[in-house]
Amino acid sequence: MKRLSVTAFAALCLTAGATYAQTNNDEAAQACQSTGLLALQEKSSAITDLVLDMETLAVSSADTKVENVAVKTVVMGDAYIARGGETGKPDRFVCLLGEEGKVLLTFFTAQ
């Protein structure tokens, strides 16, 4: 998928209806956690785990497109990346899900 432009991302956030994850059983959060962990491990074999901070997690339904790709859910929050079993400061993450809960994009930013 091409890079998400700032304008497209802002429009996406404005059209999303916010809800909040209440438990670790949220399917969207689980999909983002598992896919995000795999993506991070591809970049660094030292990464052993990815823990989403459920208190900061916002799961928003969306009915929009980025170019021609449908986006149905946006998940944002803090995540702790474990390296060698130790976690550091939280990173912010954004995860976009499409049809049938398929993860389209996950990215992390250091705070």
Side-chain angles (χ1 to χ4, degrees):
M1 188 168 142
K2 293 183 181 179
R3 285 191 173 185
L4 187 62
S5 73
V6 173
T7 305
F9 182 70
L12 176 69
C13 290
L14 291 174
T15 61
T19 59
Y20 296 92
Q22 299 297 318
T23 68
N24 290 336
N25 295 327
D26 186 271
E27 290 180 21
Q30 286 180 348
C32 291
Q33 188 277 337
S34 60
T35 303
L37 178 58
L38 290 173
L40 289 168
Q41 287 175 329
E42 285 180 8
K43 292 183 178 188
S44 173
S45 61
I47 295 174
T48 56
D49 199 7
L50 174 64
V51 178
L52 303 184
D53 182 345
M54 299 307 285
E55 291 183 16
T56 66
L57 202 66
V59 179
S60 303
S61 60
D63 187 17
T64 190
K65 289 186 176 188
V66 176
E67 295 189 11
N68 64 343
V69 179
V71 176
K72 297 298 181 183
T73 307
V74 179
V75 180
M76 297 181 285
D78 291 343
Y80 293 86
I81 300 170
R83 291 173 179 86
E86 295 185 23
T87 58
K89 294 180 181 179
D91 291 283
R92 294 289 294 163
F93 79 96
V94 175
C95 178
L96 303 180
L97 293 94
E99 300 287 340
E100 300 177 13
K102 179 181 176 188
V103 175
L104 304 171
L105 173 73
T106 302
F107 63 89
F108 299 86
T109 59
Q111 288 191 12

